[in-house]
Amino acid sequence: MKKRSAVTASVNSGELRAIPVLGIRDVFAGDSVADLVIDALALGGLRLHDGDILVVKHKIVSKAEDRKVVLDSVKPSTAARQFAAKNHLDARLVEVAMREATRIVRKKHILITETAHGLVCANSGVDVSNVDGGKTAVLLPEDPDRSAARMHRQLKKRTGLYVPVIIADSFGRAWREGLTEVAIGVAGMKVIHDYRRRADAYGYKMHATEEAVADELACVAGLICGKDSRVPACIIRGYAYRRGNGSARQLIRPEERDLFR
């Protein structure tokens, strides 16, 4: 049996573990991602524990929800062809990204858009990696919070356990190189820990500290669910999450508080 690895880190007096879910088969439209995760864990002699958090990459959720576009079926608009030609891109991908956008934020070198979910990202989150060699593009789930809530309910039904779910995607940052993980769908836990008006260890009352814990947990899982690892899901164990009706939409800064719009 293939040896399982785990990322561990000290958390207060306990330990945080990120456990890869190995053996998840290719995902097809109509599949239950929750069932695939539970079955893969069982095949490896593992199971979910009370207190676990499940983090899944959005791509397997999108595949299960049939959020795909065959690129040969796409007819690029004039705007898509012009932008693609100028930046050496596939005009079909540009067209799909534009269709998925509610707002074009930036159209220079890379297409930065705002999606219907309120996410600001490159190419509306449209991706062709780890699909079928470039023939098909995968879109973001239509409603990632709803998808996470569905998995949360299915996990409870099959295991009897309360398991929060985070759906993660990889985003770039405006002022830093490289990608990092972002929670685009959440169910079963609070996504932000608010430390405002609490005193720190030296007695100073904090005024602005709100910690985006769902994003941080997505990043922990990202160390396991690498781009070429074929590990699309991860169990976070040992983190004292706070139960609640959290959603990824709560992580999106409202327009009136947007610092750069």
Side-chain angles (χ1 to χ4, degrees):
M1 183 181 295
K2 186 175 180 180
K3 184 178 179 181
R4 292 175 180 266
S5 61
V7 174
T8 62
S10 174
V11 180
N12 298 324
S13 59
E15 182 180 71
L16 181 70
R17 303 186 66 210
I19 305 166
V21 182
L22 302 179
I24 296 177
R25 63 163 173 77
D26 285 342
V27 180
F28 302 100
D31 280 338
S32 164
V33 174
D35 286 340
L36 292 176
V37 168
I38 293 170
D39 293 344
L41 286 170
L43 285 172
L46 299 175
R47 62 180 179 84
L48 289 165
H49 291 185
D50 187 37
D52 284 352
I53 300 166
L54 173 64
V55 182
V56 297
K57 295 291 287 183
H58 91 275
K59 197 160 292 178
I60 62 171
V61 178
S62 294
K63 288 179 178 179
E65 296 178 356
D66 203 25
R67 292 281 290 162
K68 300 186 297 182
V69 175
V70 177
L71 291 178
D72 281 347
S73 70
V74 177
K75 184 177 180 180
S77 63
T78 300
R81 290 198 303 270
Q82 289 175 345
F83 181 79
K86 185 176 180 180
N87 296 283
H88 309 290
L89 302 172
D90 186 330
R92 300 170 302 175
L93 279 175
V94 174
E95 175 63 24
V96 175
M98 287 181 169
R99 291 178 187 176
E100 290 295 301
T102 58
R103 180 169 68 99
I104 304 297
V105 178
R106 180 180 171 87
K107 199 176 178 183
K108 184 177 180 181
H109 306 310
I110 299 173
L111 189 66
I112 304 298
T113 63
E114 181 177 350
T115 71
H117 321 83
L119 301 168
V120 176
C121 56
N123 302 314
S124 303
V126 176
D127 196 1
V128 294
S129 64
N130 292 312
V131 185
D132 57 5
K135 299 175 184 177
T136 304
V138 171
L139 315 178
L140 294 178
E142 185 174 350
D143 186 338
D145 282 326
R146 184 177 62 198
S147 302
R150 184 186 306 115
M151 278 187 276
H152 179 58
R153 292 193 300 270
Q154 291 171 337
L155 292 171
K156 179 71 179 294
K157 184 176 181 180
R158 277 211 50 184
T159 69
L161 298 174
Y162 186 98
V163 180
V165 174
I166 297 173
I167 298 175
D169 193 9
S170 301
F171 278 21
R173 285 85 50 83
W175 295 282
R176 296 181 69 82
E177 295 290 349
L179 301 173
T180 190
E181 297 300 304
V182 171
I184 66 168
V186 179
M189 62 174 285
K190 294 185 177 180
V191 298
I192 293 175
H193 287 187
D194 189 351
Y195 294 97
R196 293 174 298 177
R197 296 176 294 279
R198 291 178 55 179
D200 66 15
Y202 296 91
Y204 175 77
K205 186 175 289 187
M206 293 176 278
H207 299 283
T209 304
E210 292 181 281
E211 188 176 4
V213 294
D215 284 340
E216 292 175 326
L217 290 166
C219 288
V220 171
L223 299 174
I224 290 289
C225 303
K227 285 291 187 181
D228 58 354
S229 66
R230 295 186 66 83
V231 179
C234 174
I235 303 300
I236 305 293
R237 183 168 293 165
Y239 179 73
Y241 68 87
R242 300 173 185 175
R243 287 195 184 195
N245 296 320
S247 70
R249 279 202 174 267
Q250 294 169 344
L251 291 164
I252 297 173
R253 195 181 296 275
E255 182 176 346
E256 63 271 16
R257 293 177 56 198
D258 191 321
L259 302 178
F260 303 101
R261 189 181 295 262

